[in-house]
């Protein structure tokens, strides 16, 4: 008889702060909420977007084509938890559910075939913070220089930027608004503390202007 061996789940950078994040929720019309979404699959992809391999890779990911416009995001058909974010002229980040990285990497490598490209599992590099609620945009605007007004930045948009001096990939999910902030694990505690502090003013009524 052999004992079953299980691989323990990786610890997220903020696993010990989940209760603090939950306790900081702000309700009501000035509401804002912060949560960590740990252990997401993240795979970087580099290849020529005009190459035949790009079309094959897009198909393997369930997309009609890779997003090629700045800030573009596409969600895979039939795999709503798998999203492709445009990071540069020949660079994308494929984000999926926990444990999906090996399948993403294998599928993309098969689609590349003899084509030139690079595929790397970077899941351990970043964690994801989810900021949501009516005042989520106002919280981000305290430390981000991007124009986040809906006329310039909305759902299915992403950008590499600085938030409170920390490098993040910012992805707006919906009009809630809900944002995903992909940040290096070593910066996650600092950024979470900054966001919690930036959220505190919304516990009080808005000051008339």
């Amino acid at each position: 008889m052999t004992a079953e061996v299980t691989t323990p789940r990786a610890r997220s950078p903020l696993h010990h702060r989940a209760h603090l994040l939950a306790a900081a929720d702000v309700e009501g019309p000035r509401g804002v909420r912060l949560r960590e979404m740990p252990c997401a699959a993240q795979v970087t992809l580099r290849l020529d977007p005009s190459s035949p391999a790009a079309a094959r890779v897009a198909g393997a990911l369930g997309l009609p084509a890779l997003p090629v416009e700045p800030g573009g995001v596409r969600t895979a058909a039939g795999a709503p938890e798998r999203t492709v974010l445009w990071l540069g002229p020949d660079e994308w980040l494929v984000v999926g559910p926990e444990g999906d990285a090996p399948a993403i990497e294998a599928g993309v490598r098969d689609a590349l075939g003899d084509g030139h490209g690079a595929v790397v599992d970077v899941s351990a590099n970043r964690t994801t913070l989810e900021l949501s609620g009516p005042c989520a945009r106002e919280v981000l605007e305290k430390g981000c220089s991007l124009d986040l007004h809906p006329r310039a930045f909305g759902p299915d948009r992403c950008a590499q930027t600085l938030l409170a001096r920390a490098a993040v990939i910012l992805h707006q999910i919906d009009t809630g608004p809900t944002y995903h902030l992909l940040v290096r694990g070593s910066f996650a505690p600092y950024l979470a503390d900054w966001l919690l502090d930036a959220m505190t003013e919304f516990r009080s009524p808005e000051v008339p202007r």
Side-chain angles (χ1 to χ4, degrees):
M1 181 177 179
T2 58
E4 182 179 352
V5 177
T6 59
T7 301
R9 183 182 184 184
R11 278 192 175 182
S12 70
L14 299 174
H15 71 277
H16 58 298
R17 299 193 186 193
H19 63 293
L20 295 177
L21 303 187
D25 286 359
V26 180
E27 305 294 340
R30 283 165 59 81
V32 62
R33 178 178 184 268
L34 180 65
R35 293 289 185 272
E36 184 188 21
M37 301 179 63
C39 306
Q42 298 178 49
V43 177
T44 58
L45 169 64
R46 301 293 298 268
L47 81 165
D48 181 349
S50 63
S51 67
R56 297 196 301 270
V57 168
L61 292 171
L63 302 174
L66 295 174
V68 293
E69 68 281 4
V73 176
R74 285 188 175 168
T75 299
E81 294 182 327
R82 191 179 284 182
T83 305
V84 180
L85 287 69
W86 184 94
L87 299 185
D90 64 350
E91 182 179 7
W92 296 264
L93 181 68
V94 186
V95 181
E98 181 180 0
D100 196 30
I104 294 172
E105 189 174 4
V108 171
R109 288 189 184 280
D110 286 345
L112 272 175
D114 295 332
H116 294 289
V119 189
V120 182
D121 180 358
V122 295
S123 303
N125 191 24
R126 305 183 189 92
T127 191
T128 303
L129 294 173
E130 181 178 86
L131 187 72
S132 61
C135 285
R137 176 165 63 91
E138 284 82 352
V139 170
L140 292 178
E141 287 173 337
K142 292 185 177 190
C144 181
S145 63
L146 290 180
D147 182 359
L148 298 178
H149 191 278
R151 65 173 173 258
F153 198 92
D156 291 333
R157 298 282 294 175
C158 70
Q160 297 185 86
T161 186
L162 294 178
L163 176 62
R165 300 183 181 179
V168 300
I169 298 174
L170 175 63
H171 174 201
Q172 184 169 341
I173 305 299
D174 57 34
T175 58
T178 300
Y179 301 93
H180 283 179
L181 308 166
L182 285 71
V183 60
R184 293 185 186 277
S186 57
F187 282 89
Y190 156 75
L191 187 61
D193 286 345
W194 185 90
L195 288 166
L196 291 174
D197 182 67
M199 290 165 54
T200 55
E201 82 164 78
F202 298 97
R203 294 183 177 279
S204 303
E206 185 175 6
V207 177
R209 297 180 179 179

